[in-house]
Amino acid sequence: MSRLMRTSEITQRPVVTLAGDDIAQIKDIVYAADGGSVRGFTLAGRGLFSGPLSTVLPWSKVAALGSDAVMIRDEHALTDPAALEAGSARSIGKGGNILGSQVLTDTGTDLGRVVDAIVEVAGGHDQCDVVGYEIESSEALENAGTKVLIPLPDTVAASGEHLIVPASARNFVRKDLAGFGAAVAEFRKQLEGGGS
Amino acid sequence: MLFSKSRKHKVVSTGTAETVARVKGFVVDPATRHVVALMVRKSKQGDTLPWTRISGFGPDAVTVADEAAIGPADEPIAALSGKSNTMLKKQAISSFGDHIGTVTDVAFDGDTGAIQSVLVDGEPVPADRLLGVGSYAVVLEAEPTP
């Protein structure tokens, strides 16, 4: 069972143990340095006046990421921040080193600016892949100014200013999450097979 | 037996035939999936009636040998009897983190106190899928995907 989610929907979701207690909520998302997967989450306390927590939640300790809660086995899943630091990029959620980036094709066309990241959550303990971005489209695409989804290859070059995608990505742009999973799969298959 | 149908049961002493208390709530241990005690009111002895001290749980009343069965909550029961451990009207989520509905009732065995099923929006979910009862939700194991 796998599903796609916007990362903006994950922040502020409660972190709930299998015993049913909400012991934290997601503050921000920490990505692997290459931007291709989610390494874990920074946390805040529950409630209006509670600030950030000093512990983090590594992806390996997440039991399930659902539409209403992030499930963990028990409170031992929350660990020292050092567990996330090695090989992590700064979170894109707030600092904005990917949000707001200009998406350029490798042939030099501006497709738009990143407004959200799309992750694929598989069952079990597979990694949490970043499979695409939601971008505000430029004139290069139909319906300039609207939000569209663009699939990502397995690895991308990102500088904080630009994000480089293969030119063929624009053939796999979708308007909403339904059908986007298939578009990502097709796009990646074409990249592997094509080689051009 | 349902929580909703027995929530206001009288607690009657079989020794004196007097009503000694009234049922106020249920204390459930999610680990063993049993009712471990009843919360009661109107007794001078205390507010807790451990399941082991109940003589009978019938359709109309709960019977005890005498009022001394009721007392203050002991440590393990007190830990399970907080507001965050109540089940009725709490939201139910699956172990996948998805909202399922609201717990409308709980069915249990009047002889043993074993939870039989959790009713979510009226639909019974077998008790062996009950994982936890906490401050945020009642957690039910997700149905295995075929």
Side-chain angles (χ1 to χ4, degrees):
Chain A
M1 193 196 80
S2 84
R3 57 175 132 184
L4 301 176
M5 247 175 244
R6 290 180 172 84
T7 54
S8 61
E9 292 169 1
I10 299 171
T11 50
Q12 296 195 356
R13 242 176 233 172
V15 177
V16 179
T17 63
L18 288 180
D21 293 316
D22 51 337
I23 57 174
Q25 67 185 35
I26 302 296
K27 179 167 169 279
D28 229 334
I29 297 156
V30 180
Y31 295 86
D34 64 2
S37 65
V38 171
R39 284 182 62 94
F41 306 99
T42 60
L43 303 169
R46 290 288 282 162
L48 203 55
F49 299 107
S50 43
L53 299 183
S54 59
T55 49
V56 298
L57 174 60
W59 176 255
S60 58
K61 297 286 174 64
V62 173
L65 176 51
S67 54
D68 296 278
V70 179
M71 305 300 295
I72 58 174
R73 182 172 298 280
D74 54 38
E75 66 274 17
H76 299 299
L78 309 187
T79 57
D80 194 76
L84 281 189
E85 266 157 25
S88 294
R90 222 182 58 219
S91 142
I92 67 162
K94 206 169 65 179
N97 70 356
I98 292 183
L99 286 191
S101 292
Q102 189 179 42
V103 178
L104 273 185
T105 65
D106 51 9
T107 53
T109 308
D110 171 17
L111 296 181
R113 288 191 180 277
V114 176
V115 292
D116 210 340
I118 311 295
V119 292
E120 180 176 27
V121 186
H125 283 288
D126 300 335
Q127 65 173 7
C128 180
D129 252 346
V130 178
V131 295
Y133 286 112
E134 184 163 44
I135 62 172
E136 207 171 80
S137 57
S138 70
E139 276 78 22
L141 297 172
E142 296 167 41
N143 308 322
T146 57
K147 287 181 182 174
V148 296
L149 304 171
I150 186 164
L152 288 187
D154 276 331
T155 50
V156 275
S159 67
E161 190 186 358
H162 299 122
L163 196 87
I164 307 296
V165 299
S168 61
R170 59 187 295 177
N171 301 327
F172 296 91
V173 165
R174 292 290 182 274
K175 285 198 179 63
D176 50 44
L177 282 181
F180 185 62
V184 171
E186 241 177 277
F187 172 62
R188 290 187 171 181
K189 196 169 142 203
Q190 174 248 329
L191 286 183
E192 280 167 24
S196 62
Chain B
M1 212 84 70
L2 292 170
F3 276 12
S4 63
K5 292 272 164 56
S6 39
R7 209 171 40 188
K8 286 179 180 166
H9 263 30
K10 302 183 276 198
V11 180
V12 179
S13 158
T14 53
T16 63
E18 282 173 341
T19 298
V20 293
R22 260 180 201 280
V23 176
K24 191 173 68 175
F26 299 83
V27 182
V28 173
D29 183 354
T32 61
R33 293 158 181 146
H34 271 72
V35 179
V36 292
L38 303 177
M39 300 304 290
V40 299
R41 58 193 175 87
K42 291 189 172 167
S43 170
K44 293 191 183 71
Q45 302 283 330
D47 62 359
T48 307
L49 171 57
W51 189 268
T52 50
R53 302 292 301 269
I54 293 173
S55 306
F57 202 118
D60 303 300
V62 179
T63 56
V64 293
D66 65 80
E67 198 181 351
I70 298 168
D74 64 4
E75 203 47 39
I77 289 175
L80 293 169
S81 64
K83 189 164 182 281
S84 67
N85 300 97
T86 59
M87 293 181 71
L88 292 183
K89 295 182 186 166
K90 191 168 281 177
Q91 72 158 331
I93 62 173
S94 75
S95 52
F96 286 157
D98 297 321
H99 179 83
I100 309 172
T102 305
V103 175
T104 49
D105 219 331
V106 178
F108 66 102
D109 183 325
D111 294 328
T112 62
I115 304 288
Q116 293 164 326
S117 63
V118 179
L119 281 80
V120 180
D121 295 334
E123 290 291 316
V125 175
D128 57 8
R129 284 173 51 198
L130 174 64
L131 295 178
V133 180
S135 55
Y136 184 75
V138 172
V139 182
L140 300 170
E141 190 163 9
E143 278 178 273
T145 42

